[in-house]
Amino acid sequence: MIAVVRLILLVLFFIGSTIAGILVCLVRPFHRNNVALFSHWYGRVSWILGISVEIRHDAAIAANTPYVFIANHQNNLDLFVMSGSVLPGTVTMGKKSLKYIPFFGQLYWLSGNIMIDRNNKNKALNTMLAAAERITHKNLSVWMFPEGTRSYGRGLLPFKMGAFHIALEANVAMVPVCMSTTHQQVKLNRWNNGKVIIQMMAPITLSPADNLRQFAEKTRQHMAAQIQLLDTELGNDYTASKTPLKE
């Protein structure tokens, strides 16, 4: 019964938030704070799912400073749990196919997010260069999932290089964002689904002298260790992050 009520509330939220969001975008299309505004709407849905969310910010993260945020991407719950941590002046980078999802896709585009064609390397490269230019000239931050796909309990997957190229091209620091494990931790028919912690870590910088792949792997290991610490703190029974991944 609880699951049915939650699904009804989620459907009503989707309809209401999409209509409201499109109306906002008609007034201020592609506004720098659209994504943060709508993300916080989605982040508040966590209570419907019976999830308590704690967001921790490292003191070194400066306000009104552009960054490339890199976060772990677990499953579809990310939309309702992690969204509340998106800071003003941040846009996300998503696959171009999202644009064709009725209503939500149009909202995603009008919000000012960056659409990337993963099937065309040349277009993808141009999109990343354009993202770096937006960071530099519009003082925007970009939020990315460097794994490139949802992990679904497989631990933190190997990182793709796009986010690191953008940070290097724009000459901005990167902020790792680690969310405790939600895989198999949330059940729609359970009233209380516990707590999730989102840790926004200290900014890290890279230079042209760095080996990007080594830097990316070191960052991934650092994030995997932080996620494991969060899981230990919460008492999550989860061991996939300890399983070695094949590169």
Side-chain angles (χ1 to χ4, degrees):
M1 183 61 183
I2 296 176
V4 174
V5 172
R6 281 179 171 151
L7 290 174
I8 292 173
L9 290 175
L10 286 174
V11 169
L12 291 175
F13 168 79
F14 264 116
I15 295 172
S17 63
T18 301
I19 293 173
I22 289 176
L23 290 174
V24 170
C25 287
L26 290 176
V27 175
R28 56 176 206 183
F30 311 112
H31 191 280
R32 61 180 286 107
N33 290 328
N34 279 350
V35 175
L37 173 63
F38 303 149
S39 293
H40 288 186
W41 290 358
Y42 277 84
R44 292 192 181 102
V45 174
S46 59
W47 72 268
I48 296 177
L49 300 172
I51 301 171
S52 171
V53 180
E54 179 183 349
I55 302 172
R56 301 173 180 175
H57 298 84
D58 190 277
I61 300 174
N64 301 315
T65 299
Y67 296 107
V68 173
F69 293 94
I70 51 173
N72 57 318
H73 197 12
Q74 300 185 55
N75 49 51
N76 293 333
L77 287 174
D78 295 352
L79 180 63
F80 306 113
V81 181
M82 186 172 279
S83 294
S85 63
V86 176
L87 299 179
T90 301
V91 297
T92 70
M93 182 171 286
K95 55 187 179 181
K96 187 178 180 180
S97 59
L98 289 173
K99 189 175 180 179
Y100 303 107
I101 299 175
F103 304 112
F104 176 82
Q106 288 71 57
L107 176 60
Y108 186 83
W109 172 62
L110 285 169
S111 299
N113 292 298
I114 300 169
M115 318 294 285
I116 187 168
D117 187 352
R118 294 178 179 173
N119 297 321
N120 188 313
K121 290 185 177 181
N122 289 332
K123 288 184 178 179
L125 177 59
N126 289 335
T127 300
M128 287 189 286
L129 292 174
E133 186 175 351
R134 288 180 68 178
I135 291 172
T136 302
H137 296 291
K138 295 188 177 182
N139 199 42
L140 283 173
S141 295
V142 175
W143 184 290
M144 299 182 68
F145 295 109
E147 295 164 279
T149 188
R150 299 169 183 83
S151 59
Y152 293 120
R154 293 173 290 170
L156 195 61
L157 303 179
F159 285 175
K160 298 182 183 299
M161 295 296 103
F164 300 88
H165 282 293
I166 290 173
L168 188 61
E169 181 71 22
N171 192 29
V172 297
M174 308 182 78
V175 174
V177 182
C178 298
M179 182 168 70
S180 60
T181 298
T182 59
H183 180 67
Q184 295 183 343
Q185 301 293 331
V186 176
K187 299 185 184 300
L188 288 179
N189 214 33
R190 182 169 58 195
W191 181 255
N192 184 356
N193 280 304
K195 182 177 179 180
V196 170
I197 301 175
I198 300 170
Q199 176 71 59
M200 305 186 79
M201 303 173 72
I204 54 176
T205 57
L206 64 160
S207 72
D210 289 317
N211 181 301
L212 280 191
R213 291 197 176 276
Q214 291 179 1
F215 187 95
E217 177 56 22
K218 182 178 179 181
T219 302
R220 189 187 74 82
Q221 292 176 3
H222 188 42
M223 289 178 64
Q226 180 62 53
I227 293 167
Q228 188 171 328
L229 285 175
L230 296 177
D231 285 341
T232 299
E233 178 180 343
L234 293 172
N236 288 343
D237 182 16
Y238 181 69
T239 58
S241 61
K242 301 177 184 178
T243 305
L245 290 167
K246 293 182 179 179
E247 301 291 342

